[in-house]
Amino acid sequence: RAFFSTKATPLTAGKFNLKAKSCAFTIEMWALPTSDKDQQVIFSHGDKDSEEIIVGLAPTDCGLIWRAGNRTPRSGQVCASHEVLGRSSSIRKWWHVACVFTGSTWKLYLNGEEVATEEDRSQRRDPIKNSFCTIGPSFSGCILELRVWRFAREPAHIARDMHRQLVGNEFGLEALFPLDEGHHRIATDL
């Protein structure tokens, strides 16, 4: 089972901190887009009036662009982005998506492979404290097992663990949302 998201049914996943202490973090999830219309945000954390961490996708003439990064009113959007060619081959397919923030660089991984990097130009170093996480605020598709880590995960660890089911007590794991609860509006953190 997975959380089926429509633009009308986002899921609140509670409050936690990102960019605290060392500033580095990793967000991972499985996503299955069912639409290639409009820009879509799969994961959002923070406040768009100050700083918001986002993972999403957008259609192009030739396929889909996956994005992971942040947006602020002052700096705009700073994302590691990667285009996957072929719209029909990009939707209705499961993707493992990982957003890694090293403290100065955004990295995007698709299916265990690093596909894009972007230097953080936001000049914002304050932690995003006690902020709500929203899953699927403008996403059409399924999402499974959202993981939030308190450090920048190594590429080998992302590839090794993407198919492994976690228990919730792994070192550095800030939050784990299996997203297999059914049709609730609040996700349970293990």
Side-chain angles (χ1 to χ4, degrees):
R1 292 188 339 169
F3 171 64
F4 181 71
S5 174
T6 65
K7 293 183 179 189
T9 60
L11 194 72
T12 300
K15 292 183 176 185
F16 51 86
N17 299 332
L18 281 182
K19 293 181 77 178
K21 296 180 184 160
S22 69
C23 294
F25 61 87
T26 302
I27 300 160
E28 294 180 77
M29 73 197 79
W30 283 95
L32 183 144
T34 57
S35 171
D36 61 358
K37 309 274 189 278
D38 305 319
Q39 290 194 34
Q40 301 180 49
V41 175
I42 304 168
F43 171 91
S44 168
H45 182 270
D47 181 357
K48 62 184 170 187
D49 293 329
S50 57
E51 181 177 20
E52 180 181 28
I53 309 299
I54 58 166
V55 176
L57 55 93
T60 67
D61 291 339
C62 300
L64 291 176
I65 290 184
W66 289 89
R67 294 185 174 123
N70 72 344
R71 55 184 169 196
T72 66
R74 184 179 203 180
S75 303
Q77 187 166 297
V78 177
C79 290
S81 302
H82 177 74
E83 184 173 13
V84 176
L85 298 177
R87 274 191 178 184
S88 61
S89 63
S90 299
I91 61 169
R92 293 180 182 79
K93 170 184 172 181
W94 282 103
W95 295 87
H96 182 267
V97 184
C99 167
V100 176
F101 182 65
T102 66
S104 61
T105 304
W106 294 99
K107 295 182 178 188
L108 174 65
Y109 293 79
L110 293 176
N111 297 331
E113 299 286 327
E114 183 178 324
V115 294
T117 62
E118 183 70 32
E119 292 300 314
D120 183 35
R121 299 180 309 273
S122 68
Q123 301 175 347
R124 190 162 166 87
R125 297 290 176 240
D126 300 331
I128 302 174
K129 292 184 178 179
N130 204 23
S131 184
F132 278 107
C133 167
T134 306
I135 301 169
S138 63
F139 178 64
S140 294
C142 294
I143 307 165
L144 187 61
E145 198 168 278
L146 174 69
R147 306 166 175 186
V148 180
W149 302 85
R150 289 188 295 260
F151 59 92
R153 295 197 80 209
E154 295 295 323
H157 296 154
I158 291 171
R160 177 194 70 201
D161 294 338
M162 67 185 208
H163 294 289
R164 190 175 73 119
Q165 188 173 4
L166 303 182
V167 255
N169 63 354
E170 287 80 4
F171 173 78
L173 188 64
E174 175 77 16
L176 172 63
F177 303 99
L179 303 177
D180 60 359
E181 297 98 334
H183 299 287
H184 302 290
R185 302 291 278 200
I186 298 175
T188 304
D189 180 9
L190 295 181

